[in-house]
Amino acid sequence: MATVTLDRILQSQGFGTRRYCGDLVEAGLVEVNGTLCEDPGARFEVDGLQLKVDGEEWLACTKAYLMLNKPTGYECSQRPRHHPSVYNLLPVPLRQREVQAVGRLDHDTTGLLLLTDDGQFIHAQTSPKKQVPKVYEVATFDPVTPEQVQALLAGVKLDDEPEAIAAHACEATGERSLRLSLLQGKYHQVKRMVAAAGNHVTTLHRSAIGGLQLDPALAPGEWRWLTAEDMVALKSPGG
């Protein structure tokens, strides 16, 4: 595998310009795999490199793939209008390398949000042709009836859609809760579908994408890198 100079690696990870990164190295502020390195031109393989930059632990990667447990009250936008940006929850280097949310969650929707700087990955996850199921845990205002579940499975008509839209899967999980799996990603889709079936969403939480479940160890607002196992799970049907 090709090697890259340390100053370029730090630049690629979002720590600043190449010159600034070189200055960090020469100032003795960078450790590589637990060893101090003061040569900006030292060469390493990028992926899996354990860095410590000015006291901050960092796992180097050519492309960033993250999961975030999105809390309520955040917008999935670089230019939010009414609420803080979800990108404020990420460390500066990730914001500098311009990771993007893979699809969006409404400001009052919580749960699994993927972020990356890999455009092909974003396309693969969001393209309607890929049929990646997203699973939502829904709390409702009124009790969930068997008729409502059947309506969601059979398809409901939304005002701006030419044809009825059906859930990929749907089941009641409590008196006022259900689990809904969708293959599309339309505007306010879960809320509108539940309303069309005769109920009202009070809280909404995305628990899975494909076969990838939200890590229960992540508190709201926390993130972690996706593992190789996570990437495999994303490609499984799940939902």
Side-chain angles (χ1 to χ4, degrees):
M1 187 177 290
T3 59
V4 183
T5 61
L6 183 55
D7 56 354
R8 287 189 180 276
I9 292 173
L10 293 173
Q11 180 186 24
S12 74
Q13 300 306 296
F15 284 99
T17 65
R18 185 181 178 189
R19 174 172 292 184
Y20 177 76
C21 291
D23 290 343
L24 285 175
V25 176
E26 291 176 346
L29 296 174
V30 179
E31 294 181 13
V32 180
N33 293 333
T35 301
L36 181 66
C37 181
E38 298 180 283
D39 177 9
R43 303 184 72 90
F44 304 92
E45 294 180 1
V46 177
D47 287 307
L49 198 65
Q50 296 285 344
L51 300 171
K52 191 172 186 180
V53 184
D54 198 12
E56 182 177 4
E57 302 281 352
W58 198 259
L59 177 66
C61 52
T62 304
K63 293 291 184 182
Y65 305 96
L66 327 170
M67 75 159 61
L68 175 99
N69 185 356
K70 180 190 172 296
T72 188
Y74 283 81
E75 293 183 26
C76 294
S77 172
Q78 297 281 8
R79 297 180 178 179
R81 293 185 177 183
H82 306 294
H83 304 274
S85 171
V86 73
Y87 298 102
N88 292 345
L89 299 169
L90 302 176
V92 172
L94 286 174
R95 301 204 300 269
Q96 292 280 58
R97 65 191 288 179
E98 298 183 344
V99 297
Q100 300 292 321
V102 183
R104 294 190 175 194
L105 294 177
D106 297 337
H107 74 89
D108 57 350
T109 300
T110 63
L112 179 57
L113 183 67
L114 303 180
L115 302 106
T116 185
D117 54 1
D118 183 345
Q120 290 185 338
F121 179 83
I122 293 174
H123 176 73
Q125 290 296 312
T126 58
S127 172
K129 295 180 180 180
K130 298 296 183 179
Q131 300 283 285
V132 179
K134 283 87 173 174
V135 182
Y136 297 87
E137 311 301 327
V138 185
T140 62
F141 184 80
D142 295 314
V144 176
T145 67
E147 291 77 16
Q148 290 169 0
V149 172
Q150 286 305 311
L152 290 165
L153 288 170
V156 292
K157 186 71 173 65
L158 304 182
D159 288 343
D160 57 350
E161 296 296 330
E163 298 179 355
I165 297 179
H168 176 62
C170 182
E171 61 176 334
T173 54
E175 183 184 8
R176 286 180 167 84
S177 62
L178 54 84
R179 180 172 295 119
L180 188 67
S181 176
L182 301 178
L183 297 179
Q184 311 89 351
K186 299 181 182 295
Y187 181 69
H188 291 331
Q189 185 175 350
V190 175
K191 297 173 184 176
R192 294 162 66 208
M193 288 182 67
V194 171
N199 210 321
H200 178 71
V201 173
T202 57
T203 65
L204 185 58
H205 176 85
R206 185 159 67 190
S207 58
I209 298 175
L212 177 64
Q213 303 284 328
L214 175 63
D215 188 337
L218 285 180
E222 291 185 342
W223 68 277
R224 70 164 174 80
W225 303 104
L226 292 185
T227 65
E229 292 77 13
D230 292 334
M231 299 296 278
V232 171
L234 271 173
K235 296 178 181 178
S236 68

